[in-house]
Amino acid sequence: MEDSRADAYKGWNHVRAESILQQAEEHLRLGQVEKACQLARESLLLDDEYDDARLVLARALIERGEYRGATLELEKVMSRQPGSIDALYLLGVAAEKTGNLPVAIAHYQDAYNLDNERFDTVLATTEVMASMGQISKARRYLAAHMDQADGDVGAYELAGRLAKMDGDHGVAAEHFALAYEADVMNVAYLEEMALAQVFAGQYAVAAESLTIRTHRTGRDVPLWVGMMLGDCHLELGNHASAKAAFQAVCRDFPEESDAWAGVSKVLLVQGKYDESIRMAEKALELTPNDVEAAMLAGYAALKLDQPARAVKILSQAISRTPDDYTLLCIMGQAMEAQGNIAEATRYYQVASNLKPNAEIAEGLLAQTQSVATTALLAD
């Protein structure tokens, strides 16, 4: 009789524990971690062997950064259920959070070995490998399990991120494209796809992706999107589209010198040197140490056969940035155009010292030395 009463009391307590645990899970889902901890503990007071409550408590403790406490709770679960996949996974999370990465991988892989349908353990293992700097290994491990991804957008994003870290931008673009196709509302995937396409030299598809991004509402278009769009069109020889892209950036970000330098770059390519200089000077007004703008203005002045103007512009830039290779080469050309072979040689030599194996400075230096030798012989 007493046993039946005890069992009934125990059963009733378990029912109450289940009810309280449901509340704890809801609070945890809403990010109300303190309340979730409190309720999970209340549930355990009613039934100390209720492992589901202990798992929720461990999750809440992890959220609070109490990794040692979470580990102790999870070890209690493992003592009763050595095959608890959830406990093993959370032990991996706790170990990862404390920086014990090899142990984290061991827990994640133990969980996967017990249930190879748990793809979250694959993603977690891959993330830890990447954290350990084992990028190629992480890529191989994830690739070997991608047949289980089943449209998991997180898997595509992770595969793209790893390929990007490995410098494999073409593959990164493919994975980010799959992520974006699976979640077209996620602007971050679109942006990552576009970036990867640019770095892979896929300028035509990158321009399409970037154009889509400029038309997406609900989130401001970053400066780099318009700049990269302009650069892509320049690479493709679409000068009008490039100019329009850079002008749109000037409209949205009028204080950004890079935008005005972008317009200057297009005008330079189009042979509109006076206009190019005006745009470059606008950029320099905004950012006096904008090296690209100074180079554009200086080179455009050279194309107009105005070497003195070029020297003036470039001298100011070199005073601020004396070790820019391209800037020094253009300055050498400006000096050479003025007939100042000695100064041209000096600038080419400085540039050559910065990049000893670079062909541009070496070629220009050899050319001026040849001119100087010819002049001496003539004398």
Side-chain angles (χ1 to χ4, degrees):
M1 186 70 173
E2 289 296 325
D3 287 345
S4 62
R5 283 181 180 177
D7 288 343
Y9 184 71
K10 185 177 181 180
W12 170 239
N13 277 348
H14 184 73
V15 170
R16 290 169 61 199
E18 286 181 326
S19 176
I20 292 171
L21 181 61
Q22 288 178 354
Q23 298 174 51
E25 289 177 320
E26 180 63 14
H27 282 289
L28 187 58
R29 185 185 69 80
L30 295 172
Q32 298 167 353
V33 180
E34 297 298 329
K35 188 65 175 178
C37 278
Q38 176 192 330
L39 290 169
R41 286 193 168 104
E42 287 181 17
S43 180
L44 286 167
L45 285 173
L46 291 167
D47 185 350
D48 186 58
E49 296 183 355
Y50 190 15
D51 287 335
D52 286 350
R54 208 168 291 283
L55 288 170
V56 170
L57 176 58
R59 285 167 53 202
L61 290 171
I62 288 171
E63 289 294 322
R64 285 172 55 173
E66 297 180 25
Y67 307 122
R68 179 58 184 158
T71 299
L72 291 173
E73 297 298 337
L74 293 165
E75 286 172 349
K76 291 177 184 177
V77 175
M78 291 296 295
S79 68
R80 282 189 293 272
Q81 297 185 56
S84 173
I85 297 166
D86 288 334
L88 280 169
Y89 181 84
L90 289 173
L91 281 167
V93 173
E96 182 181 351
K97 294 291 187 180
T98 57
N100 201 342
L101 303 185
V103 171
I105 287 179
H107 285 312
Y108 290 141
Q109 292 189 329
D110 284 345
Y112 180 77
N113 291 336
L114 288 169
D115 182 1
N116 57 20
E117 296 295 316
R118 285 290 297 265
F119 190 64
D120 57 341
T121 63
V122 173
L123 295 180
T125 300
T126 304
E127 289 277 16
V128 175
M129 286 178 178
S131 297
M132 296 172 71
Q134 301 171 353
I135 306 302
S136 297
K137 183 178 180 180
R139 290 184 69 187
R140 289 194 300 271
Y141 180 79
L142 181 58
H145 296 86
M146 280 299 280
D147 59 327
Q148 296 176 258
D150 193 27
D152 188 319
V153 68
Y156 299 139
E157 185 276 334
L158 178 55
R161 182 156 35 95
L162 291 172
K164 176 183 174 181
M165 294 169 71
D166 219 13
D168 198 349
H169 299 295
V171 172
E174 293 174 8
H175 287 302
F176 286 128
L178 289 171
Y180 179 60
E181 287 172 15
D183 184 5
V184 293
M185 298 307 294
N186 193 314
V187 174
Y189 297 152
L190 174 59
E191 292 177 353
E192 288 289 356
M193 177 179 70
L195 279 169
Q197 290 165 342
V198 170
F199 289 127
Q202 301 170 3
Y203 300 117
V205 290
E208 292 176 8
S209 300
L210 291 164
T211 300
I212 292 171
R213 179 64 187 90
T214 62
H215 293 154
R216 288 291 292 268
T217 57
R219 183 172 167 184
D220 291 340
V221 179
L223 170 69
W224 66 263
V225 170
M227 295 299 296
M228 278 197 171
L229 179 57
D231 285 334
C232 285
H233 282 305
L234 262 182
E235 290 287 345
L236 295 166
N238 302 331
H239 299 156
S241 296
K243 185 179 178 182
F246 288 129
Q247 286 176 329
V249 180
C250 290
R251 183 186 63 245
D252 296 336
F253 300 92
E255 300 304 314
E256 290 291 339
S257 61
D258 287 348
W260 299 97
V263 178
S264 173
K265 188 162 40 177
V266 179
L267 293 167
L268 181 64
V269 172
Q270 291 179 317
K272 299 176 181 179
Y273 304 124
D274 281 316
E275 294 178 57
S276 177
I277 291 173
R278 282 198 295 274
M279 292 297 101
E281 287 177 339
K282 173 66 176 176
L284 289 167
E285 287 174 12
L286 294 167
T287 308
N289 61 347
D290 189 324
V291 174
E292 183 184 29
M295 286 191 288
L296 289 165
Y299 192 73
L302 274 178
K303 298 298 286 185
L304 287 170
D305 197 21
Q306 298 175 2
R309 185 180 184 185
V311 167
K312 181 179 179 182
I313 295 168
L314 296 167
S315 295
Q316 293 173 349
I318 289 174
S319 69
R320 297 186 180 94
T321 313
D323 56 356
D324 187 280
Y325 174 81
T326 307
L327 193 60
L328 291 165
C329 287
I330 298 173
M331 182 59 138
Q333 289 177 293
M335 287 295 183
E336 188 176 354
Q338 282 188 312
N340 194 339
I341 302 302
E343 278 297 285
T345 301
R346 184 174 73 83
Y347 280 109
Y348 293 147
Q349 186 65 64
V350 173
S352 182
N353 291 341
L354 288 172
K355 292 186 179 181
N357 298 319
E359 295 180 1
I360 296 175
E362 288 292 328
L364 292 169
L365 180 59
Q367 178 182 307
T368 54
Q369 288 172 337
S370 175
V371 169
T373 300
T374 301
L376 285 171
L377 291 173
D379 290 342

